[in-house]
């Protein structure tokens, strides 16, 4: 991997470690592995074309396997009870896309959380959310080995998103069988072009084994609702995106976000505000082509109105955001964008001038097409 963007994946890994820390603490706090288990799954799906530029041949079948080390929370922290005792996990996955000469295979590792959606004594419907880092064996390359067909992936190391939903049947306290559907996405966030990303959707089935028990005794407290407070929040982040051709230079993007948030149901924050971004790559494009002379900086930034929701999981937050541009740069994109961020809170308190301080990593998309990845810092007053 090129050293100029190694920092991005390194910091991404640090933030993921922040998600893993509660898992390790939880495992140490349980009695002789209570609630610990191993989930094994087989995957079968298909790569799907998500935009017109995706000209790769579509494999007939994509197959793979997934192993997940899980710890079922039991209420050691208040947020675990508020979220109905989710499972924390560390997943390892591998898939063979189906056309080795073009796609190769992908291997990834990703921290994840499994949320219960509905349950009975023997049945459970769950949703797993995971993000991590992956390695792809085949990428776009004009040199040996030549692979100019793969216009979707141009870097060996990529971000990985894993979403899946399962129906689980508890055979006993030790064994559970499950089946469901999954969706995966890999891309490098436009650090290297071309970067259309590869998406796979399919079905999965497998079995889970809990050496002690899958149903640890739950701690139930009389929790008081947290106040529905309002905060003024600021985020600052940066991205690196490559030029529009393979092997081109990297350009920074600077993003500033100001918004107001309101906590609701003690474990969510709804928010709305303004997003500003300045794109050095657009400035360079205008200068290189003699366009908008003297006004390059003004035509290189975007402004958008945004709204979203943050799902709070202790010191970790998962944010879903949508925005509508009220000002476009010279090179226009779609009028609406989406953003997903993973936040880790260093400061999180009810009183004081500075109530929140967090680091975050994010992915900005236009529907199912990724624009860029972000790393940044935020605060709440």
């Amino acid at each position: 991997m090129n050293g100029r963007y190694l920092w991005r994946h390194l910091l991404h890994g640090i933030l993921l470690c922040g998600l893993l820390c509660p898992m390790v603490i939880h495992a140490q706090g349980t009695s002789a592995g209570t609630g610990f288990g191993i989930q094994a799954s087989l995957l079968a799906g298909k790569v799907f074309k998500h935009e017109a530029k995706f000209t790769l041949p579509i494999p007939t079948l994509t197959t793979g396997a997934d192993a997940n080390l899980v710890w079922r929370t039991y209420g050691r922290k208040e947020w675990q009870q508020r979220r109905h005792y989710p499972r924390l996990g560390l997943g390892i996955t591998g898939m063979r896309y189906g056309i080795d000469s073009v796609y190769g295979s992908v291997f990834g590792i990703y921290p994840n959380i499994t949320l219960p959606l509905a349950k009975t004594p023997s049945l459970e419907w769950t949703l797993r959310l995971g993000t991590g880092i992956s390695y792809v064996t085949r990428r776009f390359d004009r040199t040996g080995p030549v692979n100019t067909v793969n216009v979707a992936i141009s870097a060996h190391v990529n971000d990985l998103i894993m979403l899946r939903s399962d129906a689980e049947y508890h055979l006993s306290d030790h064994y559970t069988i499950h089946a469901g559907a999954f969706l995966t996405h890999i891309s490098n966030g436009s650090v290297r072009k071309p970067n259309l990303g590869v998406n796979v959707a399919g079905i999965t089935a497998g079995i889970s084994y809990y050496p002690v028990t899958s149903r640890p005794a739950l701690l139930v407290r009389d929790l008081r609702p947290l106040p529905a407070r309002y905060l003024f929040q600021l985020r600052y982040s940066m991205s690196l995106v490559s030029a529009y051709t393979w092997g081109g230079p990297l350009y920074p993007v600077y993003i500033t976000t100001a918004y107001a948030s309101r906590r609701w149901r003690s474990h969510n924050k709804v928010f709305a505000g303004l997003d500003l971004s300045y794109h050095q790559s657009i400035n360079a494009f205008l200068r290189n082509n003699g366009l908008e002379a003297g006004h390059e900086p003004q035509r290189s930034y975007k402004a958008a109105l945004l709204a979203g929701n943050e799902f709070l999981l202790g010191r970790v937050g998962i944010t879903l955001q949508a925005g509508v541009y009220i000002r476009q740069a010279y090179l226009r994109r779609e009028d609406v964008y989406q953003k997903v961020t993973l936040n880790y809170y260093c400061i999180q308190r009810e009183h004081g001038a500075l109530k929140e301080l967090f680091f975050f990593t994010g992915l900005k998309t236009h529907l199912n097409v990724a624009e860029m990845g972000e790393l940044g810092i935020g605060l709440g007053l």
Side-chain angles (χ1 to χ4, degrees):
M1 180 175 59
N2 191 301
R4 288 183 292 177
Y5 61 98
L6 176 61
W7 64 273
R8 179 173 178 269
H9 292 287
L10 178 61
L11 290 178
H12 192 168
I14 292 172
L15 285 173
L16 293 176
C17 287
L19 181 60
L20 281 174
C21 286
M23 295 162 46
V24 176
I25 293 172
H26 169 76
Q28 292 176 343
T30 58
S31 174
T34 299
F36 169 79
I38 303 173
Q39 293 180 323
S41 307
L42 296 178
L43 310 174
K46 192 174 182 65
V47 175
F48 62 90
K49 180 177 180 178
H50 54 283
E51 65 167 313
K53 295 179 182 178
F54 195 93
T55 57
L56 289 73
I58 303 299
T60 303
L61 180 66
T62 297
T63 58
D66 185 272
N68 195 31
L69 305 178
V70 296
W71 293 270
R72 183 180 291 272
T73 61
Y74 61 93
R76 183 176 179 271
K77 299 289 186 178
E78 288 187 5
W79 72 266
Q80 299 171 359
Q81 182 178 337
R82 296 186 192 276
R83 286 291 178 191
H84 306 292
Y85 310 99
R87 282 171 284 179
L88 304 174
L90 179 62
I92 301 173
T93 191
M95 287 192 298
R96 184 177 179 181
Y97 284 115
I99 304 178
D100 293 341
S101 60
V102 176
Y103 293 88
S105 300
V106 61
F107 304 93
I109 182 169
Y110 62 100
N112 59 81
I113 184 168
T114 301
L115 302 170
L117 300 179
K119 62 190 309 182
T120 68
S122 58
L123 286 171
E124 190 171 5
W125 178 30
T126 64
L127 174 66
R128 185 197 297 183
L129 309 172
T131 179
I133 296 174
S134 64
Y135 180 84
V136 181
T137 59
R138 291 284 284 165
R139 63 182 177 109
F140 180 93
D141 205 334
R142 293 190 185 278
T143 61
V146 175
N147 184 12
T148 56
V149 177
N150 187 354
V151 294
I153 296 296
S154 58
H156 284 301
V157 177
N158 295 268
D159 296 332
L160 165 69
I161 295 176
M162 170 70 82
L163 305 176
R164 58 182 286 177
S165 183
D166 289 277
E168 304 184 1
Y169 180 72
H170 299 276
L171 299 173
S172 67
D173 286 347
H174 300 285
Y175 291 97
T176 299
I177 56 175
H178 54 266
F182 74 92
L183 173 67
T184 66
H185 168 81
I186 64 165
S187 69
N188 66 54
S190 291
V191 176
R192 278 286 171 258
K193 296 285 180 64
N195 181 58
L196 302 179
V198 177
N199 298 332
V200 177
I203 58 175
T204 177
I207 188 169
S208 303
Y209 172 65
Y210 293 84
V212 179
T213 179
S214 64
R215 303 173 185 179
L218 303 180
L219 298 178
V220 181
R221 303 177 178 88
D222 183 16
L223 299 179
R224 296 181 179 179
L226 297 176
R229 69 181 185 187
Y230 290 88
L231 292 180
F232 172 70
Q233 309 219 222
L234 288 171
R235 288 196 316 235
Y236 175 78
S237 59
M238 180 179 172
S239 179
L240 286 177
V241 298
S242 71
Y244 304 100
T245 58
W246 179 77
L250 290 173
Y251 294 101
V253 180
Y254 306 100
I255 307 102
T256 301
T257 306
Y259 58 102
S261 69
R262 181 183 185 272
R263 184 164 57 195
W264 62 287
R265 294 186 63 186
S266 299
H267 53 59
N268 291 275
K269 284 197 304 184
V270 63
F271 59 89
L274 181 66
D275 216 2
L276 297 174
S277 59
Y278 177 76
H279 301 251
Q280 187 63 46
S281 61
I282 298 179
N283 188 309
F285 175 85
L286 295 175
R287 290 181 178 275
N288 292 339
N289 291 278
L291 302 172
E292 301 291 328
H295 301 283
E296 296 92 347
Q298 297 95 311
R299 299 305 310 275
S300 301
Y301 79 89
K302 306 176 185 180
L305 297 176
L306 64 92
N309 186 78
E310 181 175 4
F311 302 87
L312 298 173
L313 309 163
R315 289 192 175 272
V316 175
I318 300 173
T319 296
L320 303 180
Q321 171 185 322
V324 178
Y325 290 113
I326 56 177
R327 177 188 170 87
Q328 287 269 18
Y330 183 88
L331 299 177
R332 297 179 63 91
R333 298 293 297 261
E334 293 82 355
D335 291 330
V336 178
Y337 73 87
Q338 302 78 38
K339 187 180 293 187
V340 179
T341 70
L342 176 66
N343 307 331
Y344 179 76
Y345 287 87
C346 304
I347 296 176
Q348 196 177 48
R349 55 195 181 194
E350 293 296 314
H351 306 287
L354 180 63
K355 295 180 177 63
E356 295 180 347
L357 178 66
F358 60 93
F359 295 94
F360 69 93
T361 180
L363 177 65
K364 181 182 178 183
T365 68
H366 293 83
L367 295 178
N368 51 13
V369 180
E371 179 184 356
M372 61 184 176
E374 300 177 26
L375 288 169
I377 187 171
L379 56 85
L381 304 173

